[in-house]
Amino acid sequence: MVYIGRFAPSPTGPLHFGSLLAALASYLDARAHHGRWLVRIEDLDTPRVIQGATDDILRTLEDYGLEWDDAVIRQSDRLHLYHEALTQLRQRHQAYPCDCSRQQIRQRTGSSRYDGHCRRHPPNPQHVCAIRSHNPQDYPFDDQIQGPQSFPAQIEDFVIFRRDGFFAYQLAVTIDDAEQQINHIVRGSDLLDSTPKQRHLQQQLGYPRPIYAHIPVATNTQGQKLSKQTLAPALDRHHARQQIIRALQFLGQQPVTELHDCRLDECLRWAIEHWNISAIPKQIGLILEDN
Ligand code: GLU
Ligand code: ZN
């Protein structure tokens, strides 16, 4: 079976060092397995999408020598697929409408965790509703980097279609990974606890189960995850090789000093040949300077 991996950025801003780690790790793991590496733009959360960010992300990947296979797909072009799956889940009573507000949930449960209220008390069909997945179980799994994982305390009937009218990340990502035949998922460990939800949907929709590897997420000196929300600086497009070497260090790959004098493509070739997923630390290997 040919390895198929992917990088799935959301176009909510330019790539930063944290996104480079996910892009590079998924790219190197795919290439080291002589596999394919796809890029998918996750642009469903329209209010957060920034004009021009998709082009900027793709150009940055090119500048960093991370060449993808096949055409880039955009989730906004695939609403019909999500719609079909949602209809199927509803017909099979594996999903149900919910009109609870966050505040109502908090009042009932004292937390943000959903209590399955509308599963037992169906809402008025006139109300604006979210759709929730019916009664998921815990799906313990073995992560290639983080080891055995389970999240029993976080099981809830999670949202697959949002009350504001958007398909939820959990549903879209599960459908796309299956439809693109992704069999290896390498991404940031901030998504570890999304994995059981996606495994639940995979099971309900009859999809195969990919192999997961969650890399540690980079934080700034305040311990916050590097993200657009914490205003992580955009990747410098003119210092690709230096940033790749820095990313390799972060990923525990011990880049040799000679790489500093290499061309970008030689540096990436070295990284593919020496790729060792078991050298990646489980947790943050270094705290990055804010710049
Ligand atoms: N689009 C998600 C993000 O940018 C990543 C999704 C994934 O890798 O599963 O955080
Ligand atoms: Zn409800």
Side-chain angles (χ1 to χ4, degrees):
M1 185 171 61
V2 58
Y3 178 117
I4 309 180
R6 48 65 157 187
F7 175 53
S10 307
T12 52
L15 293 184
H16 50 75
F17 190 74
S19 20
L20 174 62
L21 292 176
L24 183 64
S26 59
Y27 171 86
L28 293 176
D29 201 52
R31 295 298 183 229
H33 285 87
H34 308 286
R36 304 177 67 68
W37 186 65
L38 312 183
V39 172
R40 177 172 75 230
I41 301 294
E42 304 212 317
D43 57 353
L44 283 187
D45 193 353
T46 330
R48 293 181 58 227
V49 166
I50 304 247
Q51 194 79 35
T54 295
D55 289 346
D56 187 72
I57 288 171
L58 296 177
R59 238 176 297 129
T60 307
L61 290 175
E62 279 167 358
D63 289 345
Y64 275 67
L66 304 177
E67 287 174 18
W68 57 87
D69 299 303
D70 301 351
V72 170
I73 67 161
R74 288 173 173 72
Q75 289 190 321
S76 55
D77 292 335
R78 299 160 66 81
L79 301 184
H80 58 286
L81 290 175
Y82 315 137
H83 201 269
E84 225 170 83
L86 191 65
T87 307
Q88 205 178 86
L89 291 172
R90 289 207 55 188
Q91 280 168 352
R92 297 198 211 128
H93 304 288
Q94 290 170 323
Y96 63 91
C98 161
D99 66 348
C100 300
S101 65
R102 268 173 221 215
Q103 200 189 358
Q104 286 169 326
I105 296 169
R106 189 158 283 283
Q107 272 165 4
R108 280 200 308 266
T109 68
S111 76
S112 59
R113 193 157 156 222
Y114 189 63
D115 54 358
H117 179 267
C118 298
R119 189 175 354 125
R120 295 180 298 272
H121 309 282
N124 180 335
Q126 308 297 323
H127 287 183
V128 179
C129 287
I131 308 287
R132 291 182 179 270
S133 179
H134 189 276
N135 210 12
Q137 309 300 308
D138 190 22
Y139 289 86
F141 66 101
D142 209 0
D143 189 85
Q144 278 197 302
I145 297 167
Q146 306 294 334
Q149 300 294 315
S150 73
F151 298 90
Q154 290 182 36
I155 305 166
E156 63 171 350
D157 289 1
F158 57 92
V159 170
I160 56 178
F161 183 78
R162 292 164 29 174
R163 252 176 119 199
D164 57 6
F166 296 109
F167 291 100
Y169 157 72
Q170 306 294 359
L171 182 73
V173 82
T174 304
I175 294 170
D176 286 333
D177 284 335
E179 208 268 337
Q180 294 189 286
Q181 299 178 43
I182 306 294
N183 46 32
H184 286 73
I185 294 179
V186 180
R187 62 183 176 191
S189 57
D190 53 318
L191 293 167
L192 254 185
D193 60 0
S194 284
T195 307
K197 298 178 178 144
Q198 294 167 20
R199 298 261 286 100
H200 178 66
L201 293 173
Q202 283 157 7
Q203 213 201 28
Q204 288 186 322
L205 292 164
Y207 296 154
R209 170 177 7 137
I211 291 169
Y212 290 93
H214 286 83
I215 62 166
V217 294
T219 60
N220 63 19
T221 47
Q222 278 112 56
Q224 298 165 313
K225 181 198 157 201
L226 282 195
S227 69
K228 289 130 202 171
Q229 287 77 28
T230 59
L231 303 177
L235 278 179
D236 182 347
R237 301 240 302 263
H238 305 292
H239 292 93
R241 195 195 34 182
Q242 289 91 320
Q243 294 288 31
I244 295 245
I245 294 173
R246 193 162 157 243
L248 289 171
Q249 276 161 351
F250 187 95
L251 294 168
Q253 303 299 302
Q254 303 182 338
V256 291
T257 46
E258 291 82 66
L259 292 186
H260 287 279
D261 303 316
C262 285
R263 292 198 318 264
L264 176 63
D265 60 329
E266 293 168 337
C267 178
L268 285 170
R269 198 164 335 117
W270 180 93
I272 294 166
E273 273 166 26
H274 294 84
W275 178 244
N276 178 8
I277 200 167
S278 58
I280 300 178
K282 279 191 190 186
Q283 270 151 37
I284 294 118
L286 68 130
I287 305 283
L288 299 155
E289 293 301 312
D290 309 85
N291 48 7

